[in-house]
Amino acid sequence: MSPTTREGGLSALPRAVVGSRLPAVLRSPTLQGFVFTAPLLLLFAAFVVYPMLSGLYAATDPDSYRAIFGDPVFRQTVSNTLWYVVVAVNVKLVLALLLSGILDYPFLSIRVLAALFLIPWAIPALPGILSFRWMLNSQWGIFNHLLTKLGFESVPWLAQHDTALAFVIIFHIWKYLPFWTIIFLAGRRAIPNELYEAAAIDGGGVVQSFFSITFPLLKSLYLICTLLSMVFTLGDFTVPWLLTGGAPGDTTHVLATLAYRYTFAMGRLEWGLSTFAVALPVTLLFIGMLMRWVKI
Amino acid sequence: MLALTLVILVWTLFPVYYMVLLSLTPTNDLFQPALYIDNPTLRSYVYTMGQDNPFVRYFWQQLLTSLTVSLWTMVLVGVIAAMGSFAMARMKFRFRRYVSGLTLFTYVIPSSFLAIPFFKMMADYDLIDTKLSLILAMVTFATPYALWVLSDYARSLPPEIEEAGAIDGAGTLATFFYLYVPLIIPPLIAIGTYAFLYAWNEYLYALLLLTGEQHIPLPVAMSNFLTTDNAPWNLLMAVSTVYSIPPVILYYAFKRYLVSGLVSGAVSGT
């Protein structure tokens, strides 16, 4: 089968057979392509492009930027969001890359471990967050109970900025580590075994084969996963909102929760929109990079 | 190695174990934290099922709302992505590049960035508090990945499909329905499950678009427990456990399809 027929798809069909019953206009590949992608295009135009443009249009007032940049909560939020995105995503992906190496072994026990390991990904975020929240409760949480039993001071985990933000990061890692581990596991399995056998003959150890074979071959996958995960995390609402809700004293907001607070608790719609607009340039840069590498 | 395995298991399972443990804890023991309980009780589940507490007054209705939204999302995403993938993988047409770009853009842009304008738009059309508004949002955000996975799979199919269709004298539509759709059933199961779970797990859009105890889906109802100080946590954890069961069953039932489908989409992107 030559590549041209494969590439050509439907348009490579013998015209006489397929088109005999249709008028010429309806045989046009452009029209057929349009018909089959019309639902998608309508959906994206109506619910992505239009809200995006209308949101940007409503966020053009320089006063709202002056207002949010003057708000200490906003400045704190930007710093929180950066911490969240940079630390959570990178720690998670390094761990995922290493764990995918362990879960790659073909033992039965490892397969059982791998199946159990996926549970945080299988259950929705909300029950997990609620469980963490109760475990971290200053008075009745299991963490403080165990700490005091071991003779330590109890810690108001979610009632102070640093530990609250740390647990937003920890929860994110708990919930999403399995997914990215699977992705890297698949990436590893796509590497031909011969490469490792050759390295073993040359006398390379596990660490050496990781740096000379695994990592160079997974590098682009790793980079794409980092970008994707960073963009997703940049817009995360659920985890910070339900774990801390911005508490204590609005110090643990991230962009999405602050925009929600501006819009719905304070009635400042244009502030909410401007909060996202501030993050848009870096988001678009990331999306642009991804679109160069990934094709649908 | 054993120690590492143990650490991974505790890290992974403890929050889940603790959730189930709390759901079985009698209310009197709730404020005495422990790693296990002496007198487990199913009372919280009985209250939940019987809607026998103000917090779970509309439990079944909320569950039904979650289920309805998720099933519609699953069906619509399946149809739209099946059609789209046929065009993207098996046809050559002029503006293909733009469809691809727009899809990827929708996949990558965080849905929360569009939440406020989307909310405003739905308010303008008077669609707030309707399941339709939430379904539209879920279909929009679940479609790109579904299209990605399906198109990727479809590209690996041999060109004989169209040739066989051509020999039988089938037009494009007949080729799509009788030859193409049966061949993409495995990834269709994967993306159907993905779309269902996407809608089932969604919180932000559900919070914004649906209000009132009788209209909200389960996750929003659960988060409403948190607005009071005296929330019955054992009851909340019982609801949490029930809410987690469908995704876990779906996940383990379709694991084979789900993992291979999702992963092939992600890996081949590189």
Side-chain angles (χ1 to χ4, degrees):
Chain A
M1 101 197 39
S2 74
T4 42
T5 38
R6 186 156 167 3
E7 282 285 314
L10 277 182
S11 59
L13 286 178
R15 296 246 159 221
V17 186
V18 105
S20 49
R21 288 161 300 111
L22 286 171
V25 184
L26 292 179
R27 269 181 278 141
S28 137
T30 303
L31 184 78
Q32 289 186 345
F34 180 73
V35 169
F36 277 90
T37 52
L40 284 171
L41 290 171
L42 267 172
L43 205 61
F44 296 158
F47 302 123
V48 178
V49 177
Y50 174 74
M52 175 114 166
L53 295 180
S54 76
L56 280 177
Y57 179 73
T60 43
D61 183 7
D63 281 345
S64 52
Y65 294 94
R66 229 167 276 146
I68 60 173
F69 278 107
D71 182 3
V73 175
F74 178 79
R75 290 198 296 266
Q76 174 82 66
T77 298
V78 171
S79 138
N80 291 344
T81 311
L82 286 175
W83 276 100
Y84 183 33
V85 170
V86 173
V87 177
V89 171
N90 287 300
V91 171
K92 175 185 68 181
L93 290 180
V94 169
L95 286 175
L97 187 61
L98 297 178
L99 274 172
S100 67
I102 295 175
L103 298 185
D104 201 16
Y105 287 105
F107 308 131
L108 180 67
S109 56
I110 295 286
R111 284 221 299 275
V112 173
L113 178 69
L116 289 174
F117 178 65
L118 297 178
I119 285 184
W121 180 42
I123 74 168
L126 182 55
I129 296 170
L130 295 176
S131 181
F132 265 71
R133 227 178 126 133
W134 189 249
M135 290 195 293
L136 295 169
N137 187 294
S138 338
Q139 280 171 284
W140 305 299
I142 188 80
F143 274 32
N144 277 344
H145 174 72
L146 294 176
L147 276 183
T148 46
K149 251 193 161 172
L150 294 171
F152 294 99
E153 290 278 302
S154 68
V155 181
W157 298 106
L158 295 178
Q160 53 188 23
H161 169 266
D162 292 358
T163 47
L165 190 63
F167 269 96
V168 171
I169 292 171
I170 289 171
F171 181 82
H172 175 95
I173 296 172
W174 180 78
K175 167 78 181 133
Y176 298 105
L177 182 62
F179 175 75
W180 297 103
T181 306
I182 304 246
I183 299 288
F184 290 142
L185 191 58
R188 278 175 187 271
R189 290 194 175 148
I191 299 174
N193 248 333
E194 290 80 24
L195 290 178
Y196 291 108
E197 283 157 15
I201 291 166
D202 293 343
V206 176
V207 176
Q208 204 188 334
S209 75
F210 176 82
F211 283 109
S212 60
I213 300 168
T214 314
F215 195 70
L217 287 173
L218 289 183
K219 209 167 51 187
S220 63
L221 177 66
Y222 189 83
L223 195 65
I224 286 175
C225 289
T226 306
L227 282 174
L228 262 182
S229 184
M230 278 186 158
V231 185
F232 291 159
T233 311
L234 188 64
D236 187 24
F237 173 83
T238 310
V239 176
W241 181 253
L242 290 167
L243 197 62
T244 74
D250 289 318
T251 57
T252 59
H253 278 293
V254 295
L255 287 176
T257 62
L258 184 67
Y260 181 85
R261 171 175 169 264
Y262 280 153
T263 309
F264 295 99
M266 297 170 63
R268 298 285 193 159
L269 178 77
E270 47 325 322
W271 291 14
L273 292 169
S274 306
T275 306
F276 286 128
V278 170
L280 205 58
V282 64
T283 313
L284 290 179
L285 177 75
F286 278 26
I287 292 177
M289 285 159 80
L290 279 166
M291 280 165 94
R292 282 195 49 185
W293 289 322
V294 184
K295 286 276 172 295
I296 291 179
Chain B
M1 190 69 189
L2 190 69
L4 186 65
T5 312
L6 215 62
V7 168
I8 295 174
L9 276 180
V10 170
W11 158 264
T12 304
L13 297 178
F14 189 72
V16 181
Y17 166 77
Y18 206 64
M19 170 178 83
V20 178
L21 184 83
L22 273 175
S23 75
L24 299 171
T25 305
T27 306
N28 292 337
D29 297 345
L30 202 53
F31 301 104
Q32 288 148 14
L35 289 174
Y36 57 91
I37 40 174
D38 298 321
N39 314 303
T41 169
L42 285 172
R43 205 165 293 157
S44 297
Y45 290 94
V46 175
Y47 287 153
T48 305
M49 299 297 154
Q51 306 193 120
D52 197 7
N53 185 298
F55 282 97
V56 289
R57 208 169 7 165
Y58 297 105
F59 172 76
W60 289 108
Q61 209 164 336
Q62 291 158 350
L63 189 79
L64 190 68
T65 303
S66 280
L67 201 63
T68 313
V69 170
S70 305
L71 285 174
W72 273 107
T73 305
M74 182 176 91
V75 170
L76 291 173
V77 167
V79 171
I80 293 171
M83 287 176 69
S85 68
F86 186 57
M88 297 304 283
R90 313 297 296 188
M91 291 179 183
K92 230 179 188 173
F93 54 100
R94 212 164 292 157
F95 51 92
R96 204 186 159 286
R97 229 155 30 98
Y98 301 102
V99 182
S100 164
L102 198 57
T103 307
L104 200 65
F105 182 81
T106 308
Y107 176 54
V108 178
I109 187 109
S111 62
S112 66
F113 279 36
L114 301 169
I116 295 169
F118 190 92
F119 170 82
K120 230 177 123 242
M121 185 180 167
M122 289 298 141
D124 290 344
Y125 295 142
D126 220 7
L127 286 173
I128 298 293
D129 267 341
T130 62
K131 291 188 196 73
L132 177 65
S133 62
L134 185 56
I135 292 169
L136 287 174
M138 294 301 94
V139 172
T140 304
F141 294 116
T143 294
Y145 197 54
L147 183 72
W148 185 2
V149 171
L150 275 188
S151 308
D152 188 58
Y153 185 88
R155 254 178 233 117
S156 70
L157 297 172
E160 279 85 17
I161 305 167
E162 286 88 3
E163 284 159 19
I167 289 163
D168 293 343
T172 309
L173 268 181
T175 309
F176 173 72
F177 279 113
Y178 297 113
L179 294 165
Y180 179 72
V181 172
L183 283 171
I184 57 161
I185 295 293
L188 214 48
I189 293 174
I191 61 117
T193 313
Y194 163 79
F196 183 94
L197 294 179
Y198 189 97
W200 184 265
N201 297 350
E202 175 64 20
Y203 178 69
L204 174 60
Y205 277 81
L207 176 71
L208 293 181
L209 297 171
L210 301 179
T211 52
E213 273 191 286
Q214 303 182 45
H215 302 293
I216 51 178
L218 214 45
V220 182
M222 284 156 62
S223 74
N224 283 349
F225 274 66
L226 301 175
T227 51
T228 62
D229 283 335
N230 54 352
W233 275 81
N234 44 0
L235 195 64
L236 178 53
M237 289 308 181
V239 180
S240 288
T241 307
V242 174
Y243 172 63
S244 308
I245 289 172
V248 171
I249 290 178
L250 267 181
Y251 178 81
Y252 281 97
F254 297 121
K255 185 165 167 258
R256 202 160 49 93
Y257 299 108
L258 202 57
V259 172
S260 66
L262 301 189
V263 164
S264 77
V267 175
S268 72
T270 61

